[in-house]
Amino acid sequence: MSTYRDPARGGVLRTVGTRERRSHLSAPRVPTVGIDIGGTKVMAGVVDADGTILEKIRTETPDKSKSPKVVEDTIVELVLDLSDRHDVHAVGIGAAGWVDADRARVLFAPHLAWRNEPLRDALQDRLAVPVMVDNDANTAAWAEWRFGAGRGEDHLVMITLGTGIGGAILEDGRVKRGKYGVAGEFGHMQVVPGGHRCPCGNRGCWEQYSSGNALVREARELAAADSPVAYGIIERVKGNVPDITGPLITELAREGDAMCVELLQDIGQWLGVGIANLAAALDPSCFVIGGGVSAADDLLIGPARDAFRRHLTGRGYRPEARITRAQLGPEAGMVGAADLARLVARRFRRANRRRVERYERYERYAQAFRTGTHGRAPRTPEDPGS
């Protein structure tokens, strides 16, 4: 358990537990704001207790070196804008980076200038509602478990395929964050010793073989080499290789371009290998595949299922986890952040109610003392010892 002082609420002490197990069932059904922060965009939305987005706004991530203060200003502006039209009770942040176990600090963000940044407290100093901070993959997984493809699953692993690979683990209604808060960095498992160099500094990381970057890298290499199998995509970009993107590859694959289909199959096969490794370690009942690359759907997930079955430890003698595409799309992180913030709103309400009750008891005793009623206030059902 971690306790901190909330300056935005007159110094009320709040205790925030590390377990969400089943607690969403008793969370207040109030609107909250979820914010998804990445290196290029900040998306904010008001979300109700059923996961419905009541309003959504989006802006580019500020470019002034992406300093903590500049990004913080952007978040505050979005929250205040939404608060003009909605009764907001809490704010949840899904950050693309490592968040500590107390969900207070962003330890590191690869695309932002956050290094051990006390984001929660900085925002609570400026916003009049409780704030929760978590990793964006954790918030996306929570949303899929609550409202999307993972509903009804007790043991779920989410894999987000975008520029790299992110991930999250949910077990029996609880996000598994690890001792230091950075569990789920699946993209940096080594799958090919001595393989492609990864920006993290190591070689052979999983995301170098199954991610948006890997997909685009392979297509551009073939196009730059003027490979005959790449004529379709070369023609589409008019020979300008840097114009080749992941969505374009997916579009051409859907149109039947043989090279693009093959590239997605390769990415899918590596995805299946990694999932088999995770199944050996975690044994979940379901893998949910999200992120931008998952838009390829069965062009990607079909080969992943095949490779998973071929590489699964004990195949043929154990139940196989379900592999499915995420349902909530790019809004998953925002929706999950808002829903997790609702749990914080509940804890604040309880603490605030106790503070009000203590104040009311004090006022009764003070009034009794002033009026001289037997030198003390009469006991009431609310008072201790009654």
Side-chain angles (χ1 to χ4, degrees):
M1 303 286 283
S2 64
T3 303
Y4 64 94
R5 187 170 295 276
D6 182 356
R9 290 291 189 177
V12 178
L13 283 175
R14 294 199 287 116
T15 302
V16 178
T18 59
R19 295 179 64 88
E20 299 93 4
R21 178 186 172 93
R22 309 301 182 199
S23 55
H24 64 281
L25 298 175
S26 57
R29 297 184 62 82
V30 294
T32 50
V33 168
I35 298 179
D36 186 13
I37 309 171
T40 60
K41 55 85 180 170
V42 182
M43 182 165 54
V46 179
V47 182
D48 70 13
D50 297 315
T52 302
I53 300 171
L54 305 179
E55 184 181 353
K56 178 180 70 174
I57 52 180
R58 173 176 172 158
T59 187
E60 299 301 312
T61 304
D63 216 5
K64 296 178 182 176
S65 76
K66 297 177 182 175
S67 71
K69 179 63 165 60
V70 172
V71 178
E72 179 190 314
D73 289 343
T74 301
I75 294 169
V76 170
E77 288 172 8
L78 293 175
V79 173
L80 293 180
D81 184 6
L82 292 168
S83 297
D84 285 341
R85 297 177 296 281
H86 302 273
D87 183 19
V88 174
H89 291 255
V91 175
I93 311 288
W98 294 355
V99 178
D100 71 356
D102 288 336
R103 285 171 283 169
R105 292 177 174 269
V106 181
L107 302 175
F108 172 76
H111 305 296
L112 297 168
W114 282 337
R115 303 294 183 269
N116 200 28
E117 179 66 25
L119 183 62
R120 182 190 66 191
D121 292 343
L123 290 173
Q124 284 192 155
D125 281 342
R126 301 177 63 180
L127 298 172
V129 291
V131 175
M132 184 281 311
V133 181
D134 208 338
N135 171 264
D136 57 350
N138 287 343
T139 62
W142 179 266
E144 291 291 342
W145 177 70
R146 287 273 284 123
F147 310 112
R151 280 175 295 184
E153 299 288 350
D154 288 331
H155 294 77
L156 177 149
V157 170
M158 184 162 187
I159 299 165
T160 56
L161 300 180
T163 302
I165 295 179
I169 307 161
L170 271 85
E171 183 176 321
D172 202 17
R174 177 188 176 190
V175 179
K176 305 284 282 187
R177 296 181 175 85
K179 173 66 175 178
Y180 305 108
V182 296
E185 291 294 329
F186 305 139
H188 300 288
M189 299 186 305
Q190 188 183 61
V191 295
V192 180
H196 290 296
R197 177 73 72 181
C198 180
C200 77
N202 294 328
R203 288 187 177 273
C205 291
W206 187 25
E207 68 176 40
Q208 291 303 303
Y209 299 88
S210 184
S211 67
N213 272 355
L215 180 66
V216 171
R217 181 192 66 224
E218 296 295 312
R220 288 180 178 176
E221 286 180 0
L222 287 168
D226 205 25
S227 170
V229 300
Y231 74 90
I233 202 165
I234 292 172
E235 182 180 347
R236 180 64 68 91
V237 299
K238 297 180 172 57
N240 191 12
V241 173
D243 286 347
I244 295 175
T245 64
L248 176 60
I249 296 168
T250 299
E251 178 185 340
L252 289 173
R254 288 195 178 116
E255 294 173 4
D257 183 277
M259 183 199 77
C260 294
V261 170
E262 184 176 332
L263 289 178
L264 282 169
Q265 288 175 340
D266 290 345
I267 297 297
Q269 287 169 5
W270 278 113
L271 176 60
V273 170
I275 290 175
N277 290 338
L278 290 173
L282 302 173
D283 191 30
S285 58
C286 177
F287 288 94
V288 177
I289 313 301
V293 182
S294 69
D297 208 0
D298 276 346
L299 290 167
L300 174 82
I301 295 179
R305 291 188 181 115
D306 293 340
F308 171 69
R309 294 187 184 104
R310 289 198 305 273
H311 292 90
L312 180 64
T313 302
R315 51 193 172 275
Y317 296 96
R318 61 180 288 177
E320 291 184 7
R322 182 168 65 96
I323 301 174
T324 185
R325 182 187 172 192
Q327 292 180 358
L328 301 182
E331 287 84 18
M334 181 186 72
V335 171
D339 199 58
L340 285 167
R342 193 167 289 109
L343 307 181
V344 178
R346 181 198 63 187
R347 294 179 186 118
F348 171 77
R349 281 184 161 195
R350 286 179 175 174
N352 194 51
R353 185 172 62 249
R354 288 193 294 267
R355 181 181 67 84
V356 171
E357 289 172 351
R358 287 195 299 269
Y359 178 78
E360 289 175 346
R361 286 198 297 269
Y362 168 79
E363 283 296 306
R364 287 196 299 271
Y365 278 106
Q367 180 64 25
F369 179 80
R370 286 193 295 268
T371 58
T373 308
H374 304 298
R376 51 169 288 178
R379 288 181 176 178
T380 67
E382 298 85 4
D383 289 335
S386 61

